[in-house]
Amino acid sequence: MEKVKPCTAQYDRTVYSSFRTRDILTRGFDEIQILLRYLYMNEDHAIIFDNGLCKLEIKMTPSMDLTARNLNFPDFPATHRPIELPELLGIIEQLEETPAVEYPDSFANRWEEVKTICASTMVQNYIKK
């Protein structure tokens, strides 16, 4: 009998595109909130992910629109584009497998880095009155 390898992905992509699941309810929305907060905190905050065709840099504008810039064509301006919730979950999965960018010696992956930066900024904002 062949041993089945455990799935390393947090979310089953074939499921979350058409069904409601417990992992999305209990973790998925919290993680989407962290990602959106990170992008909102600073105009310079960006994430890079591979959509299968190219690498895209995602940022948030001051008016809270998400923009994507195709890194294959760096001279072209970023464009506003809707990003669906399942796509955000897929981006988070990729960030879990991507090396840290801002503090490469301090974090195991980009997602841990994003979560920590977001958490420390949120603490500072809760303390300020």
Side-chain angles (χ1 to χ4, degrees):
M1 190 159 134
E2 187 178 336
K3 242 185 178 177
V4 177
K5 290 183 181 180
C7 181
T8 58
Q10 255 188 347
Y11 308 105
D12 182 351
R13 293 173 189 218
T14 60
V15 172
Y16 68 57
S17 63
S18 60
F19 296 103
R20 295 170 193 254
T21 63
R22 182 179 301 134
D23 62 331
I24 302 299
L25 180 63
T26 58
R27 284 191 334 263
F29 284 108
D30 291 339
E31 292 186 342
I32 289 170
Q33 181 183 32
I34 291 167
L35 178 60
L36 293 175
R37 279 182 172 172
Y38 173 78
L39 294 172
Y40 175 80
M41 288 176 188
N42 189 324
E43 286 184 57
D44 295 328
H45 282 182
I47 53 157
I48 296 173
F49 82 102
D50 187 340
N51 71 355
L53 300 173
C54 63
K55 288 191 178 193
L56 295 175
E57 178 186 62
I58 304 293
K59 287 187 168 189
M60 186 179 286
T61 67
S63 61
M64 298 193 308
D65 290 322
L66 294 176
T67 62
R69 186 168 61 101
N70 184 335
L71 296 180
N72 291 340
F73 303 99
D75 296 335
F76 288 4
T79 58
H80 296 272
R81 77 185 276 275
I83 297 180
E84 304 293 329
L85 295 179
E87 187 176 2
L88 290 174
L89 293 172
I91 290 169
I92 292 167
E93 284 181 356
Q94 277 193 22
L95 293 177
E96 290 173 339
E97 298 170 3
T98 304
V101 175
E102 295 178 53
Y103 305 99
D105 297 330
S106 299
F107 298 100
N109 59 55
R110 181 70 168 130
W111 181 238
E112 290 301 318
E113 182 179 52
V114 165
K115 288 192 314 185
T116 303
I117 291 168
C118 186
S120 65
T121 304
M122 292 303 296
V123 167
Q124 291 173 6
N125 282 285
Y126 283 129
I127 293 172
K128 291 181 182 179
K129 291 187 179 194

